[in-house]
Amino acid sequence: QVQLVESGGGLVQAGGSLRLSCAASGRTFSYNAMGWFRQVSGKEREFVAAINFSGDRTQYADSVKGRFSVSRDNAKNTVYLQMNSLKPEDTANYYCATRQWSAASNRRTDYDYWGQGTQVTVSS
């Protein structure tokens, strides 16, 4: 079993930045790929970014490329999502997830454990 706890969400003006954190506990973290997804009420949860177990391979949704950056610190069992140049359309509940494989994936169904989410609101 793995437990994931997100933090760092909040209210920010357009053009601003936020850094989300996801702390993992339970089963081994450093061998698992991690992903970030987001969801707006009434819409499907969508892929944002993913990182492989060692942190040297990442994937991003086209909508966030060049603005968001995913990283991880295996010594701290934590993955981060740095979000810059935020736009109102980035407003969503952001979830981190982990899968019992080392390779990153952009498919929601590939992930086995999920956090409870943290709300990000970007005002215009």
Side-chain angles (χ1 to χ4, degrees):
Q1 191 74 10
V2 176
Q3 293 78 41
L4 302 173
V5 179
E6 303 95 336
S7 61
L11 174 64
V12 64
Q13 288 189 334
S17 298
L18 282 175
R19 189 177 81 155
L20 305 184
S21 299
C22 174
S25 61
R27 292 182 62 181
T28 303
F29 168 81
S30 58
Y31 299 112
N32 294 3
M34 301 292 295
W36 285 98
F37 291 76
R38 65 188 181 187
Q39 187 170 23
V40 175
S41 180
K43 295 188 177 181
E44 287 193 359
R45 193 169 297 187
E46 66 174 10
F47 170 73
V48 175
I51 188 166
N52 71 335
F53 78 105
S54 60
D56 60 348
R57 294 191 178 184
T58 57
Q59 297 180 26
Y60 296 95
D62 288 343
S63 59
V64 306
K65 278 181 183 176
R67 301 188 297 122
F68 290 13
S69 177
V70 59
S71 61
R72 65 190 296 162
D73 185 339
N74 286 344
K76 296 182 178 180
N77 286 354
T78 301
V79 64
Y80 305 98
L81 184 67
Q82 178 66 44
M83 306 186 295
N84 299 327
S85 302
L86 282 161
K87 304 175 181 180
E89 51 263 44
D90 294 318
T91 295
N93 203 8
Y94 282 72
Y95 298 87
C96 73
T98 185
R99 63 190 301 245
Q100 298 182 64
W101 294 94
S102 58
S105 172
N106 60 7
R107 298 193 302 182
R108 178 175 52 85
T109 54
D110 282 347
Y111 289 84
D112 305 295
Y113 300 99
W114 294 81
Q116 82 290 345
T118 185
Q119 178 67 35
V120 171
T121 302
V122 184
S123 64
S124 58

PDB file of all heavy atoms in Angstrom, residues 1-4 27 32 96-100 111-115:
ATOM      1  N   GLN A   1       0.853  -1.198   0.000  1.00  0.00           N
ATOM      2  CA  GLN A   1       0.000   0.000   0.000  1.00  0.00           C
ATOM      3  C   GLN A   1       0.880   1.236   0.000  1.00  0.00           C
ATOM      4  O   GLN A   1       1.925   1.265   0.645  1.00  0.00           O
ATOM      5  CB  GLN A   1      -0.904   0.005   1.233  1.00  0.00           C
ATOM      6  CG  GLN A   1      -1.995   1.048   1.208  1.00  0.00           C
ATOM      7  CD  GLN A   1      -3.120   0.694   0.251  1.00  0.00           C
ATOM      8  OE1 GLN A   1      -3.171  -0.417  -0.259  1.00  0.00           O
ATOM      9  NE2 GLN A   1      -3.996   1.639   0.004  1.00  0.00           N
ATOM     10  N   VAL A   2       0.470   2.245  -0.721  1.00  0.00           N
ATOM     11  CA  VAL A   2       1.181   3.515  -0.794  1.00  0.00           C
ATOM     12  C   VAL A   2       0.217   4.631  -0.447  1.00  0.00           C
ATOM     13  O   VAL A   2      -0.931   4.638  -0.893  1.00  0.00           O
ATOM     14  CB  VAL A   2       1.753   3.747  -2.208  1.00  0.00           C
ATOM     15  CG1 VAL A   2       2.407   5.123  -2.297  1.00  0.00           C
ATOM     16  CG2 VAL A   2       2.753   2.660  -2.574  1.00  0.00           C
ATOM     17  N   GLN A   3       0.671   5.559   0.353  1.00  0.00           N
ATOM     18  CA  GLN A   3      -0.119   6.733   0.663  1.00  0.00           C
ATOM     19  C   GLN A   3       0.554   7.955   0.047  1.00  0.00           C
ATOM     20  O   GLN A   3       1.776   8.123   0.159  1.00  0.00           O
ATOM     21  CB  GLN A   3      -0.247   6.940   2.177  1.00  0.00           C
ATOM     22  CG  GLN A   3      -1.054   5.865   2.891  1.00  0.00           C
ATOM     23  CD  GLN A   3      -0.258   4.588   3.113  1.00  0.00           C
ATOM     24  OE1 GLN A   3       0.914   4.641   3.463  1.00  0.00           O
ATOM     25  NE2 GLN A   3      -0.898   3.453   2.894  1.00  0.00           N
ATOM     26  N   LEU A   4      -0.249   8.795  -0.584  1.00  0.00           N
ATOM     27  CA  LEU A   4       0.243  10.005  -1.240  1.00  0.00           C
ATOM     28  C   LEU A   4      -0.512  11.208  -0.688  1.00  0.00           C
ATOM     29  O   LEU A   4      -1.743  11.182  -0.603  1.00  0.00           O
ATOM     30  CB  LEU A   4       0.023   9.921  -2.754  1.00  0.00           C
ATOM     31  CG  LEU A   4       0.659   8.733  -3.467  1.00  0.00           C
ATOM     32  CD1 LEU A   4       0.212   8.696  -4.921  1.00  0.00           C
ATOM     33  CD2 LEU A   4       2.171   8.793  -3.374  1.00  0.00           C
ATOM     34  N   ARG A  27       4.951   1.594   0.656  1.00  0.00           N
ATOM     35  CA  ARG A  27       5.849   0.764  -0.126  1.00  0.00           C
ATOM     36  C   ARG A  27       6.933   1.599  -0.814  1.00  0.00           C
ATOM     37  O   ARG A  27       6.838   2.794  -0.906  1.00  0.00           O
ATOM     38  CB  ARG A  27       5.057  -0.026  -1.168  1.00  0.00           C
ATOM     39  CG  ARG A  27       4.157  -1.077  -0.555  1.00  0.00           C
ATOM     40  CD  ARG A  27       3.428  -1.872  -1.615  1.00  0.00           C
ATOM     41  NE  ARG A  27       4.353  -2.604  -2.471  1.00  0.00           N
ATOM     42  CZ  ARG A  27       3.970  -3.352  -3.482  1.00  0.00           C
ATOM     43  NH1 ARG A  27       2.678  -3.452  -3.776  1.00  0.00           N
ATOM     44  NH2 ARG A  27       4.831  -3.987  -4.228  1.00  0.00           N
ATOM     45  N   ASN A  32       9.291   3.548  -8.312  1.00  0.00           N
ATOM     46  CA  ASN A  32       8.006   3.782  -8.964  1.00  0.00           C
ATOM     47  C   ASN A  32       8.009   5.074  -9.766  1.00  0.00           C
ATOM     48  O   ASN A  32       8.513   6.101  -9.299  1.00  0.00           O
ATOM     49  CB  ASN A  32       6.894   3.882  -7.923  1.00  0.00           C
ATOM     50  CG  ASN A  32       6.652   2.587  -7.189  1.00  0.00           C
ATOM     51  OD1 ASN A  32       7.342   1.604  -7.394  1.00  0.00           O
ATOM     52  ND2 ASN A  32       5.664   2.586  -6.323  1.00  0.00           N
ATOM     53  N   CYS A  96      -1.572  13.726  -7.470  1.00  0.00           N
ATOM     54  CA  CYS A  96      -0.403  12.927  -7.822  1.00  0.00           C
ATOM     55  C   CYS A  96      -0.783  11.450  -7.742  1.00  0.00           C
ATOM     56  O   CYS A  96      -1.747  11.064  -7.067  1.00  0.00           O
ATOM     57  CB  CYS A  96       0.797  13.234  -6.947  1.00  0.00           C
ATOM     58  SG  CYS A  96       0.721  12.628  -5.262  1.00  0.00           S
ATOM     59  N   ALA A  97      -0.030  10.648  -8.471  1.00  0.00           N
ATOM     60  CA  ALA A  97      -0.314   9.228  -8.553  1.00  0.00           C
ATOM     61  C   ALA A  97       0.989   8.469  -8.744  1.00  0.00           C
ATOM     62  O   ALA A  97       1.978   9.025  -9.228  1.00  0.00           O
ATOM     63  CB  ALA A  97      -1.268   8.938  -9.711  1.00  0.00           C
ATOM     64  N   THR A  98       0.971   7.197  -8.375  1.00  0.00           N
ATOM     65  CA  THR A  98       2.143   6.365  -8.564  1.00  0.00           C
ATOM     66  C   THR A  98       1.739   5.042  -9.186  1.00  0.00           C
ATOM     67  O   THR A  98       0.606   4.575  -9.014  1.00  0.00           O
ATOM     68  CB  THR A  98       2.871   6.133  -7.224  1.00  0.00           C
ATOM     69  OG1 THR A  98       4.094   5.413  -7.469  1.00  0.00           O
ATOM     70  CG2 THR A  98       2.014   5.340  -6.248  1.00  0.00           C
ATOM     71  N   ARG A  99       2.668   4.454  -9.909  1.00  0.00           N
ATOM     72  CA  ARG A  99       2.407   3.167 -10.537  1.00  0.00           C
ATOM     73  C   ARG A  99       3.529   2.225 -10.175  1.00  0.00           C
ATOM     74  O   ARG A  99       4.640   2.645  -9.892  1.00  0.00           O
ATOM     75  CB  ARG A  99       2.270   3.311 -12.045  1.00  0.00           C
ATOM     76  CG  ARG A  99       3.510   3.802 -12.772  1.00  0.00           C
ATOM     77  CD  ARG A  99       3.204   4.153 -14.205  1.00  0.00           C
ATOM     78  NE  ARG A  99       2.682   3.023 -14.957  1.00  0.00           N
ATOM     79  CZ  ARG A  99       3.307   2.459 -15.984  1.00  0.00           C
ATOM     80  NH1 ARG A  99       4.478   2.912 -16.380  1.00  0.00           N
ATOM     81  NH2 ARG A  99       2.759   1.453 -16.645  1.00  0.00           N
ATOM     82  N   GLN A 100       3.219   0.941 -10.175  1.00  0.00           N
ATOM     83  CA  GLN A 100       4.185  -0.063  -9.751  1.00  0.00           C
ATOM     84  C   GLN A 100       5.083  -0.486 -10.906  1.00  0.00           C
ATOM     85  O   GLN A 100       5.337  -1.672 -11.107  1.00  0.00           O
ATOM     86  CB  GLN A 100       3.442  -1.259  -9.149  1.00  0.00           C
ATOM     87  CG  GLN A 100       2.639  -0.865  -7.905  1.00  0.00           C
ATOM     88  CD  GLN A 100       1.934  -2.033  -7.277  1.00  0.00           C
ATOM     89  OE1 GLN A 100       2.572  -2.959  -6.794  1.00  0.00           O
ATOM     90  NE2 GLN A 100       0.606  -2.010  -7.296  1.00  0.00           N
ATOM     91  N   TYR A 111      -1.963   4.050 -13.460  1.00  0.00           N
ATOM     92  CA  TYR A 111      -1.564   4.395 -12.098  1.00  0.00           C
ATOM     93  C   TYR A 111      -2.410   3.654 -11.064  1.00  0.00           C
ATOM     94  O   TYR A 111      -3.619   3.491 -11.241  1.00  0.00           O
ATOM     95  CB  TYR A 111      -1.642   5.912 -11.900  1.00  0.00           C
ATOM     96  CG  TYR A 111      -0.540   6.600 -12.667  1.00  0.00           C
ATOM     97  CD1 TYR A 111      -0.702   6.906 -14.014  1.00  0.00           C
ATOM     98  CD2 TYR A 111       0.685   6.892 -12.055  1.00  0.00           C
ATOM     99  CE1 TYR A 111       0.339   7.498 -14.731  1.00  0.00           C
ATOM    100  CE2 TYR A 111       1.713   7.494 -12.766  1.00  0.00           C
ATOM    101  CZ  TYR A 111       1.530   7.777 -14.104  1.00  0.00           C
ATOM    102  OH  TYR A 111       2.550   8.356 -14.821  1.00  0.00           O
ATOM    103  N   ASP A 112      -1.730   3.236 -10.005  1.00  0.00           N
ATOM    104  CA  ASP A 112      -2.348   2.340  -9.023  1.00  0.00           C
ATOM    105  C   ASP A 112      -2.814   3.052  -7.760  1.00  0.00           C
ATOM    106  O   ASP A 112      -3.778   2.619  -7.126  1.00  0.00           O
ATOM    107  CB  ASP A 112      -1.350   1.250  -8.633  1.00  0.00           C
ATOM    108  CG  ASP A 112      -0.820   0.501  -9.844  1.00  0.00           C
ATOM    109  OD1 ASP A 112      -1.630  -0.170 -10.507  1.00  0.00           O
ATOM    110  OD2 ASP A 112       0.397   0.594 -10.118  1.00  0.00           O
ATOM    111  N   TYR A 113      -2.117   4.090  -7.356  1.00  0.00           N
ATOM    112  CA  TYR A 113      -2.451   4.794  -6.115  1.00  0.00           C
ATOM    113  C   TYR A 113      -2.524   6.285  -6.396  1.00  0.00           C
ATOM    114  O   TYR A 113      -1.737   6.824  -7.174  1.00  0.00           O
ATOM    115  CB  TYR A 113      -1.388   4.523  -5.035  1.00  0.00           C
ATOM    116  CG  TYR A 113      -1.252   3.058  -4.682  1.00  0.00           C
ATOM    117  CD1 TYR A 113      -0.236   2.282  -5.230  1.00  0.00           C
ATOM    118  CD2 TYR A 113      -2.146   2.460  -3.801  1.00  0.00           C
ATOM    119  CE1 TYR A 113      -0.119   0.938  -4.909  1.00  0.00           C
ATOM    120  CE2 TYR A 113      -2.030   1.118  -3.471  1.00  0.00           C
ATOM    121  CZ  TYR A 113      -1.018   0.368  -4.037  1.00  0.00           C
ATOM    122  OH  TYR A 113      -0.905  -0.961  -3.717  1.00  0.00           O
ATOM    123  N   TRP A 114      -3.459   6.917  -5.692  1.00  0.00           N
ATOM    124  CA  TRP A 114      -3.733   8.331  -5.900  1.00  0.00           C
ATOM    125  C   TRP A 114      -3.790   9.077  -4.568  1.00  0.00           C
ATOM    126  O   TRP A 114      -4.210   8.520  -3.548  1.00  0.00           O
ATOM    127  CB  TRP A 114      -5.075   8.506  -6.612  1.00  0.00           C
ATOM    128  CG  TRP A 114      -5.075   7.957  -8.000  1.00  0.00           C
ATOM    129  CD1 TRP A 114      -5.240   6.654  -8.372  1.00  0.00           C
ATOM    130  CD2 TRP A 114      -4.877   8.693  -9.205  1.00  0.00           C
ATOM    131  NE1 TRP A 114      -5.157   6.535  -9.735  1.00  0.00           N
ATOM    132  CE2 TRP A 114      -4.942   7.774 -10.276  1.00  0.00           C
ATOM    133  CE3 TRP A 114      -4.659  10.037  -9.487  1.00  0.00           C
ATOM    134  CZ2 TRP A 114      -4.792   8.169 -11.600  1.00  0.00           C
ATOM    135  CZ3 TRP A 114      -4.511  10.425 -10.808  1.00  0.00           C
ATOM    136  CH2 TRP A 114      -4.574   9.494 -11.848  1.00  0.00           C
ATOM    137  N   GLY A 115      -3.397  10.348  -4.622  1.00  0.00           N
ATOM    138  CA  GLY A 115      -3.581  11.215  -3.466  1.00  0.00           C
ATOM    139  C   GLY A 115      -4.989  11.796  -3.465  1.00  0.00           C
ATOM    140  O   GLY A 115      -5.794  11.506  -4.355  1.00  0.00           O
TER     141      GLY A 115
END
